[in-house]
Amino acid sequence: MQENETSRILSVWFNFKFRLLAGGIAVGLAAGFVVVLYRYILEKTLELILDLYGFLIHHLWLIPVWVLFLIGAGWLTGKLVSLQPMISGSGIPQVKGVLQNKLQMNWWKTLLAKFIGGTLSIGTGLSLGREGPSIQIGASVGQGISEWLRRTKTEQHMLITCGASAGLAAAFNAPIAGVIFALEEVHMNFSPLIMIAALGSSLVADFVSKEFFGLNPIFHFSSIGTLPLNQYLHLIILGLVVGIAGMGFNKAIYIFQDFYRKMNRLSPEFRPVLPFLISGVLGLSLPQVLGGGNHLVNEMISSNFPLRLLLIIFMVKFLFTMFSYGSSAPGGIFLPMLVIGGMIGVLYCKAVNGITGGSLSESGFLILAMAGYFTASVRAPITGIILISCS
C-alpha cells in the first residue's frame, strides 16, 4: 500500500516536471516570436527616424510638422499608460508584483499596450531600452499560455518566469542571462525546477531570435585583449567610481520621477510629451544619444572619441535617460544604464592616460565599468556579468 502511494507521488512529480518543461518550451517559442517582432519593429523604426533627422536638417520647413507628430506620439503614449498603468516604465516591477500576488495583469491588454507604447517611445528615439518591455511582453505571453492551458497558480507563476526569461534572451541574444535574471531578480528563487524550465524557454527564444537576426552579438567585443596585471590597481579605483555613480543613478531616477509627479498642472497623459520633444531637439543636434545606445557602445570600441565630445554625450545621455524614464513612458533602463557605465569607463581611461601618460585599455575598462555600474544600480552582479559578456 505504501509502495503504491510512493509510486503514485513519484509519477505525479515526474509528470509535473515534464509538463512544466514542455510549457516552458512552448512559452519560449511564442514569446520568442513576439519579442523578435517587437525588436525588429523597434530597430527599423529607429533607423527610419535617424534617417528622417538627416532629411530634416536640409528641409527645416518640415520641422514644425515633425514637432506636431512628436506631441501627438507623446500624448498617445501617455494615454496608453493612463489606460493600462501596468505598462509604465520597464515593466519589471509589475512582473515581480504579479509573481508576489500583489498585482493583477490582464495579459493580452498589457501585451498589446506595451508593444504599441514601447514602439512609440523607443522607436522615436527616447533613451530607453528594449529589455524591460521584452521581459514584460514575454511574461504576458507566459501568463496567457498558462491561462489557456488552465494551469494552477503555482504553474502560472513558473510560466510567467519562463516568459520573462525568454523575453530577455530574445532581446539580447543572451539565453543564460535571461535565466539568471529571471531567477535572481524576477522570481527571486533558485529552484532547480524553475531553472530547467526557464533555461528551456530561454534557449528556444534565443534560437528564434538568432534564426531571424543572425549570430551577431549586441555588443561587438571581439577585438578586446586581456588586461595587463599592472593595470589592476585601477580596477579598484574604477570600482569605487562606478559604485558611487550607480548610487547616484538610482537617486537621480527617483528625483526625476518626483519631478514629474509635482507637475500637477500637467495631466499624466501629457507627461511623456516632454521627453518626446527633447528627443526632437537632440535628433537634430546630437543624434548619438537617441535610443537605447548599443550602437554608441560599439562606436566607442571602434572609434576614438575626443574627450570633450564624449563628456558632452555622457552628460546629455544621462539627463535624457532621466527625462525619458521618469515620465513613465514604456521602456527599459538596462541598456541606457550599460551605455552610461561604459562611457564612465572610457572617460576614466582618457583622464588617467592624459594625466599620467599611461596606456589604459579603453575597451577593456569600458566593459568592466558597464558591469560595475549595472551591479551598483540593479544589485544583480551575476546577471550583469553574463549579460555583458554573452551579448
Side-chain angles (χ1 to χ4, degrees):
M1 184 74 177
Q2 188 175 1
E3 290 181 1
N4 291 336
E5 182 66 17
T6 303
S7 298
R8 189 187 68 80
I9 293 173
L10 289 174
S11 176
V12 170
W13 171 245
F14 281 113
N15 288 337
F16 175 75
K17 285 200 300 184
F18 285 113
R19 189 174 68 191
L20 182 61
L21 179 59
I25 291 173
V27 168
L29 186 63
F33 277 110
V34 176
V35 172
V36 161
L37 176 62
Y38 177 70
R39 178 178 164 184
Y40 176 78
I41 292 175
L42 286 184
E43 291 182 359
K44 292 302 178 182
T45 304
L46 188 57
E47 286 178 12
L48 180 65
I49 294 300
L50 290 174
D51 290 340
L52 178 62
Y53 280 117
F55 178 81
L56 288 175
I57 291 175
H58 299 95
H59 300 81
L60 299 178
W61 61 274
L62 286 173
I63 291 179
V65 179
W66 180 243
V67 169
L68 291 175
F69 173 83
L70 290 176
I71 292 173
W75 175 84
L76 180 57
T77 301
K79 191 67 176 178
L80 284 171
V81 173
S82 296
L83 293 173
Q84 292 293 325
M86 288 288 287
I87 71 168
S88 65
S90 69
I92 296 173
Q94 291 90 321
V95 174
K96 292 169 69 174
V98 171
L99 293 176
Q100 294 169 10
N101 295 315
K102 296 178 180 178
L103 294 174
Q104 296 292 325
M105 182 170 68
N106 184 310
W107 71 269
W108 70 268
K109 288 183 179 180
T110 300
L111 191 156
L112 187 61
K114 194 75 172 188
F115 198 106
I116 297 173
T119 301
L120 286 171
S121 300
I122 305 170
T124 51
L126 266 62
S127 185
L128 299 168
R130 61 173 177 255
E131 72 294 325
S134 298
I135 289 169
Q136 190 174 23
I137 287 171
S140 299
V141 171
Q143 180 177 326
I145 289 178
S146 67
E147 290 181 3
W148 179 63
L149 296 175
R150 297 181 180 179
R151 298 304 192 205
T152 64
K153 198 70 173 178
T154 299
E155 287 183 82
Q156 184 180 112
H157 284 185
M158 290 179 174
L159 291 180
I160 289 174
T161 302
C162 290
S165 176
L168 185 60
F172 270 94
N173 290 353
I176 304 301
V179 175
I180 297 299
F181 178 79
L183 298 176
E184 185 180 32
E185 184 65 19
V186 177
H187 202 88
M188 293 182 287
N189 186 340
F190 276 83
S191 164
L193 189 61
I194 301 174
M195 185 172 67
I196 292 172
L199 181 60
S201 182
S202 289
L203 288 173
V204 171
D206 180 62
F207 175 79
V208 173
S209 176
K210 285 176 178 172
E211 280 294 309
F212 192 88
F213 291 107
L215 298 175
N216 292 328
I218 304 299
F219 302 119
H220 300 157
F221 294 149
S222 57
S223 60
I224 296 173
T226 57
L227 196 68
L229 288 175
N230 60 4
Q231 296 183 5
Y232 273 50
L233 177 61
H234 290 284
L235 295 182
I236 300 174
I237 302 173
L238 180 65
L240 292 172
V241 171
V242 295
I244 295 170
M247 292 169 57
F249 184 88
N250 289 349
K251 188 166 290 187
I253 287 176
Y254 294 130
I255 291 172
F256 275 81
Q257 287 176 335
D258 289 340
F259 164 76
Y260 278 101
R261 290 192 193 101
K262 291 175 181 177
M263 299 172 69
N264 297 324
R265 295 184 179 179
L266 190 65
S267 65
E269 290 88 348
F270 283 94
R271 288 176 186 172
V273 171
L274 177 58
F276 271 79
L277 291 176
I278 294 174
S279 74
V281 175
L282 294 176
L284 295 169
S285 57
L286 196 65
Q288 294 95 326
V289 302
L290 296 184
N294 55 295
H295 61 283
L296 186 55
V297 172
N298 296 329
E299 286 179 20
M300 286 191 290
I301 293 173
S302 60
S303 307
N304 184 20
F305 278 80
L307 178 59
R308 183 176 298 178
L309 175 61
L310 186 61
L311 192 58
I312 292 172
I313 293 175
F314 168 75
M315 292 188 294
V316 174
K317 181 69 174 177
F318 182 88
L319 290 173
F320 186 35
T321 300
M322 294 301 126
F323 275 108
S324 299
Y325 193 77
S327 69
S328 297
I333 198 69
F334 287 178
L335 194 51
M337 180 195 305
L338 293 172
V339 174
I340 292 169
M343 283 192 279
I344 292 175
V346 176
L347 287 169
Y348 177 83
C349 286
K350 288 184 178 295
V352 172
N353 291 342
I355 295 171
T356 65
S359 57
L360 296 183
S361 170
E362 292 185 6
S363 299
F365 276 79
L366 178 148
I367 298 174
L368 296 169
M370 286 171 69
Y373 198 68
F374 183 91
T375 300
S377 180
V378 181
R379 294 176 177 83
I382 301 175
T383 298
I385 293 169
I386 296 176
L387 184 64
I388 295 165
S389 59
C390 296
S391 296

